[in-house]
Amino acid sequence: MSESKLRLREAVIVEGRYDRIRVKELISTPVIETGGFRVFKDKEKQRLISEIAERRGILILTDSDAAGFVIRNFLKGIIPEENIKNAYIPSVSGKEKRKAAPSKEGLLGVEGINPELLIKAIRKSGAHIIGEEEKSGSSEITASDFYDLGLSGQPYSKALRERILLSLGLPKYLSKKAMLDAVGCLFSKSEFEELIQHINDDPSRDG
């Protein structure tokens, strides 16, 4: 079983115990829990994550709900950008088996998401998978590309961003920067340009 696990250079940062258990079933690398929002006041945990990020890099893998993005953004505020990779799981409705009721937003978290989707998210993150070729950065999507594609700087940009996020199963409340990070994990530049073209050509588009 362990032979089939992905081996990462980066350590993975998750929210809780059950997320850690799920990730460790699939990935061979240190996995650190934030303890949910407790990391905001836990200076010791912050220092640990900062040191790990400095030494080997971290891969942030939080839930796709609002709380997950709050934690993700907090970590991005205390860790240098060059030491972070981001993996985004899709927004999938459902409830984990161990829970009596769904989460507030009714979405599956890292612990409940399909293993294949979890592996796909990790592969798309650009994390260094030991024994495999690293993802090329030559086709990285930039903020300038967002402007050129009409995703910023235009009256219709916000609506277009929300339309794309909806089509990708990502939360529509993502900021421009968070969306840039997410689509950079999911697509090459050429693939993303094709997606925008398809949406622009859709006759059902408003306006």
Side-chain angles (χ1 to χ4, degrees):
M1 187 75 168
S2 60
E3 293 296 324
S4 63
K5 289 185 178 182
L6 291 184
R7 296 175 60 229
L8 299 189
R9 180 177 67 194
E10 293 84 0
V12 177
I13 310 299
V14 297
E15 294 181 48
R17 173 190 172 196
Y18 292 97
D19 298 331
R20 181 179 182 278
I21 291 171
R22 167 48 62 92
V23 171
K24 290 295 288 183
E25 289 172 352
L26 306 171
I27 307 297
S28 178
T29 197
V31 181
I32 310 300
E33 303 166 30
T34 67
F37 290 163
R38 287 197 293 275
V39 73
F40 299 165
K41 294 183 178 181
D42 190 338
K43 299 298 183 184
E44 212 170 283
K45 180 65 65 70
Q46 291 175 29
R47 282 194 295 272
L48 172 64
I49 293 173
S50 295
E51 185 163 341
I52 291 171
E54 178 69 26
R55 288 173 179 267
R56 64 187 298 161
I58 60 171
L59 174 65
I60 303 177
L61 180 60
T62 56
D63 294 349
S64 60
D65 59 8
F69 278 90
V70 169
I71 294 169
R72 184 187 296 274
N73 288 334
F74 174 79
L75 294 174
K76 289 165 72 174
I78 64 171
I79 307 293
E81 185 176 359
E82 63 269 21
N83 295 334
I84 295 175
K85 294 287 193 300
N86 288 282
Y88 295 87
I89 63 170
S91 298
V92 177
S93 298
K95 178 185 75 68
E96 283 79 14
K97 292 180 181 178
R98 70 179 181 86
K99 295 180 179 177
S103 66
K104 183 177 179 181
E105 294 178 38
L107 301 175
L108 289 175
V110 169
E111 67 167 283
I113 206 76
N114 180 285
E116 286 74 22
L117 290 177
L118 194 53
I119 290 293
K120 182 178 180 181
I122 291 169
R123 285 188 175 280
K124 288 288 188 179
S125 71
H128 182 274
I129 301 174
I130 297 169
E132 297 185 12
E133 290 291 328
E134 287 193 67
K135 179 181 175 182
S136 171
S138 60
S139 59
E140 180 182 359
I141 302 167
T142 66
S144 294
D145 294 325
F146 260 38
Y147 181 83
D148 292 341
L149 293 167
L151 291 168
S152 64
Q154 301 296 332
Y156 57 82
S157 295
K158 184 173 185 292
L160 180 56
R161 290 197 306 271
E162 289 183 355
R163 187 181 177 93
I164 292 167
L165 289 168
L166 180 63
S167 72
L168 297 176
L170 293 170
K172 70 175 185 178
Y173 50 73
L174 287 189
S175 66
K176 279 183 286 189
K177 178 64 169 63
M179 180 179 175
L180 181 62
D181 288 342
V183 298
C185 292
L186 295 169
F187 301 100
S188 68
K189 183 176 177 179
S190 61
E191 289 171 337
F192 189 59
E193 287 173 343
E194 286 182 19
L195 174 67
I196 300 296
Q197 186 63 51
H198 179 267
I199 288 175
N200 284 337
D201 289 344
D202 186 344
S204 68
R205 180 186 173 196
D206 292 339

